[in-house]
Amino acid sequence: MLKQIRRNDCRKLFGLATTARGGGRQNSRCQPQSTAAKVSVDNNNCNNNEPPGPNVITPIPGPQSQQLMKELGEIQSMKTIQFFVDYEKSQGNYIVDVDGNTMLDVFTQISSVPLGYNHPALLDAVSRTEMATSLVNRPALGVFPGAKWSNNLKDVLMSIAPPGLDNIITMMCGTCSNENAMKLMFMKYAENLREGRDFTKEELDSAMRGEMPGIPKMSILSFHGSFHGRSIGCLSVTHSKAIHLVDIPLMGWPVSDFPRYKYPLQDNVRENTAEDERCLALVEEKIHYQLKENCPIAGIIVEPVQAEGGDHHGSAAWFQGLQDICKKHNIRLLIDEVQTGGGATGAMWCHEHYNLTDAPDLVTFSKKMLTGGIYHKTDLRPEQGARVFNTWVGEPSKLIILDAVLKTIQRDSLLSQVTRVGDLMSAGMLDLCNKYPNIFANYRSKGTFGAFDCASPEIRDKLIGEMRKQGVHLGVCGESTVRFRPTLTFNENHLDLLLTNLNTVGQRIDAV
């Protein structure tokens, strides 16, 4: 199937060009390499211990997984578990469950596995003495960092910092990264209102009582369909599923519309341009309304792709317009790259595709980056200690692994591979959309970070179940969306297996 796809001009088929605007330096470390490099897939970056293909020998979950679910259920309520995994046997792009079922993993721990399971470069990294020292002597980094911590930050995380963001705060996960990034926006907004003066005694005393003026009225603007985490603050800017929010007393902050496009994009330019304009106008309305209500918007939080809410994309023009609005009203722009960062879109940071005139004010990350954190502009640095702080403030051992990941990305030209395979993936999915439109519709992607919609949740769930029987593990999001979240080492061979099985299952479901 893939040989036929390769004869097509993938970029023209799917309108992958973005609106050009401005420029900026590339990341110093993981720049996209020439797509002419490393087109061979038989000796590239995959784990050589990968199995030859999927092998399903029991229903999934199998009897051992079901027994383990029962045992865990006696001490923990975790109804989201799908199956238990044998992580020693899982290799490369293949996940193996405890019942011995081997599946091509195109979901990869909710998009958090950068290179695949048991990648040799990562196993080598964790076998070194520095890893043992880091794990046994875990530091409270905000008080007692190790001697090499500053250099580790500069050499690893700052080597791939989004252009224009020269400061970093490490965190443990995406939720705490977004929570503390919102705090930075609030603190800066309040500092500007004080015109830079120090706190008054009244402000400090009233803050201890939870009252004004120490606790000012401010808000963060978010978007319908967004997901930013599960703390109280992050749930207040999350609008993807009701079950995440019900019963939790939240902040009541404003929410606006994220664009919902018609596909294919090249056939609906006029309608989608109007949608961009409508959504930007609504953001302006929200800003003015909040000022009128004396609860101004201090910042806007947005995902480059609404990855949990249904894989909704915004155009380059829309993100450029959103940044212009933020500058106009002196509002900070926080881009949540927790799921989109780390290379899956063919760039280290998804927002690089949007050609913004200036860097966003803050960028949060986690998942494929293996550690959480916040990149931010220098003027957002807290002036006082312990304002963005917790016991660990990150995890040094994760930087040891991340360093090996980044060196592998550069050595094996993985950003170029993601772009190349993503183009082929788009062409293949467009073909499936034309053949089985009730099963595959509205395919959209950047790199291999892709998704399509089914005509109903029932068809989506049927597809997921049938693909699992074929030995392909997929993820879902939104109401009826299937999402692709493969590793950066996912190559043409893996793609051919994915597309062939999607075609087989699509034909089977369509015939019913």
Side-chain angles (χ1 to χ4, degrees):
M1 184 175 185
L2 195 55
K3 290 181 180 178
Q4 180 180 359
I5 294 166
R6 284 173 178 159
R7 289 196 291 265
N8 297 322
D9 183 341
C10 301
R11 290 190 177 276
K12 290 182 179 178
L13 271 172
F14 215 70
L16 294 178
T18 57
T19 303
R21 185 179 183 183
R25 65 175 174 86
Q26 296 280 354
N27 290 320
S28 61
R29 189 168 188 175
C30 294
Q31 298 181 23
Q33 300 86 356
S34 168
T35 54
K38 285 191 175 287
V39 291
S40 173
V41 297
D42 50 5
N43 65 344
N44 70 3
N45 32 67
C46 291
N47 188 336
N48 290 329
N49 294 321
E50 271 197 352
N55 183 30
V56 178
I57 58 178
T58 76
I60 303 172
Q64 290 194 52
S65 272
Q66 293 184 42
Q67 178 60 32
L68 290 171
M69 288 178 185
K70 181 180 178 181
E71 293 175 8
L72 182 63
E74 295 173 357
I75 58 172
Q76 183 185 83
S77 176
M78 194 58 64
K79 300 182 185 299
T80 51
I81 292 175
Q82 298 182 22
F83 53 82
F84 282 75
V85 180
D86 187 332
Y87 284 105
E88 291 185 3
K89 292 182 179 177
S90 298
Q91 295 287 335
N93 287 273
Y94 287 87
I95 189 169
V96 180
D97 72 6
V98 293
D99 290 279
N101 297 301
T102 301
M103 293 167 279
L104 178 67
D105 193 354
V106 195
F107 193 39
T108 63
Q109 310 294 323
I110 321 176
S111 194
S112 64
V113 179
L115 303 181
Y117 299 103
N118 292 303
H119 192 282
L122 306 195
L123 293 177
D124 178 67
V126 302
S127 68
R128 300 171 189 167
T129 302
E130 61 177 331
M131 174 61 81
T133 302
S134 178
L135 291 173
V136 172
N137 305 286
R138 184 178 181 184
L141 287 168
V143 189
F144 309 110
K148 298 180 180 179
W149 183 236
S150 295
N151 285 337
N152 288 343
L153 287 177
K154 292 175 184 177
D155 294 342
V156 182
L157 283 170
M158 293 311 295
S159 74
I160 55 166
L165 302 187
D166 299 322
N167 278 245
I168 189 166
I169 304 172
T170 49
M171 286 286 156
M172 288 304 301
C173 66
T175 293
C176 55
S177 299
N178 283 327
E179 187 85 10
N180 283 285
M182 289 190 288
K183 285 168 56 180
L184 287 176
M185 294 194 292
F186 281 135
M187 289 187 288
K188 190 63 182 180
Y189 194 90
E191 179 186 305
N192 289 339
L193 291 178
R194 290 195 303 272
E195 298 181 338
R197 63 167 173 77
D198 202 357
F199 306 111
T200 65
K201 185 176 185 303
E202 181 186 13
E203 287 167 342
L204 295 173
D205 290 344
S206 61
M208 295 296 290
R209 301 189 301 270
E211 300 173 354
M212 293 181 65
I215 306 297
K217 289 185 177 181
M218 291 184 284
S219 60
I220 300 291
L221 178 68
S222 55
F223 295 92
H224 292 294
S226 61
F227 181 89
H228 299 289
R230 298 176 190 269
S231 63
I232 298 295
C234 287
L235 283 176
S236 296
V237 292
T238 287
H239 314 281
S240 54
K241 290 183 180 178
I243 195 63
H244 298 157
L245 310 174
V246 66
D247 292 339
I248 311 298
L250 301 176
M251 303 296 184
W253 293 335
V255 57
S256 194
D257 288 352
F258 193 93
R260 297 291 186 265
Y261 296 138
K262 293 183 178 181
Y263 291 88
L265 294 176
Q266 65 269 24
D267 295 341
N268 295 279
V269 173
R270 180 175 59 83
E271 294 86 350
N272 292 336
T273 298
E275 175 69 354
D276 281 346
E277 293 171 351
R278 182 189 71 83
C279 292
L280 291 173
L282 187 58
V283 169
E284 287 267 18
E285 291 179 17
K286 297 287 183 179
I287 292 171
H288 291 295
Y289 178 81
Q290 290 300 123
L291 284 171
K292 182 180 177 182
E293 294 296 308
N294 296 314
C295 188
I297 293 170
I300 294 176
I301 183 170
V302 63
E303 301 156 274
V305 178
Q306 290 190 324
E308 296 293 328
D311 258 41
H312 302 294
H313 289 237
S315 69
W318 186 77
F319 276 96
Q320 292 163 9
L322 188 64
Q323 185 178 58
D324 289 344
I325 289 172
C326 288
K327 290 182 176 181
K328 174 182 175 183
H329 295 281
N330 197 24
I331 290 172
R332 297 297 175 141
L333 178 61
L334 161 57
I335 295 187
D336 175 355
E337 292 255 21
V338 167
Q339 192 161 152
T340 53
T345 68
M348 188 53 61
W349 305 107
C350 185
H351 74 266
E352 293 180 65
H353 291 285
Y354 300 136
N355 298 305
L356 301 178
T357 55
D358 188 19
D361 296 289
L362 311 95
V363 170
T364 50
F365 60 88
S366 189
K367 290 192 181 285
K368 275 188 171 64
M369 294 288 289
L370 304 179
T371 183
I374 310 162
Y375 292 108
H376 65 88
K377 290 183 175 178
T378 302
D379 72 326
L380 286 163
R381 292 165 62 104
E383 292 298 323
Q384 301 82 17
R387 302 204 75 188
V388 175
F389 183 84
N390 56 52
T391 299
W392 307 122
V393 201
E395 170 56 87
S397 66
K398 298 301 183 184
L399 264 66
I400 296 173
I401 307 175
L402 179 60
D403 184 47
V405 169
L406 298 179
K407 288 175 179 174
T408 303
I409 291 174
Q410 186 175 45
R411 182 196 69 204
D412 295 339
S413 303
L414 290 184
L415 297 186
S416 293
Q417 174 169 309
V418 168
T419 299
R420 185 183 71 246
V421 175
D423 287 350
L424 294 169
M425 181 183 282
S426 294
M429 288 308 304
L430 182 61
D431 181 57
L432 289 172
C433 288
N434 290 331
K435 290 172 67 175
Y436 311 112
N438 285 331
I439 304 167
F440 308 100
N442 305 329
Y443 185 74
R444 58 271 188 194
S445 69
K446 283 183 173 56
T448 56
F449 194 100
F452 62 89
D453 299 324
C454 297
S456 69
E458 293 75 21
I459 291 176
R460 191 268 307 273
D461 295 345
K462 176 70 172 176
L463 177 79
I464 293 294
E466 291 298 311
M467 287 294 288
R468 187 169 287 178
K469 292 177 184 178
Q470 298 288 124
V472 179
H473 178 47
L474 297 171
V476 302
C477 60
E479 293 186 5
S480 58
T481 301
V482 176
R483 53 178 163 170
F484 299 149
R485 299 292 187 269
T487 72
L488 305 182
T489 62
F490 185 88
N491 64 32
E492 286 88 341
N493 295 331
H494 303 117
L495 176 61
D496 195 30
L497 194 154
L498 171 64
L499 293 175
T500 297
N501 281 284
L502 284 172
N503 184 71
T504 299
V505 170
Q507 187 176 35
R508 187 184 306 160
I509 296 175
D510 190 60
V512 175

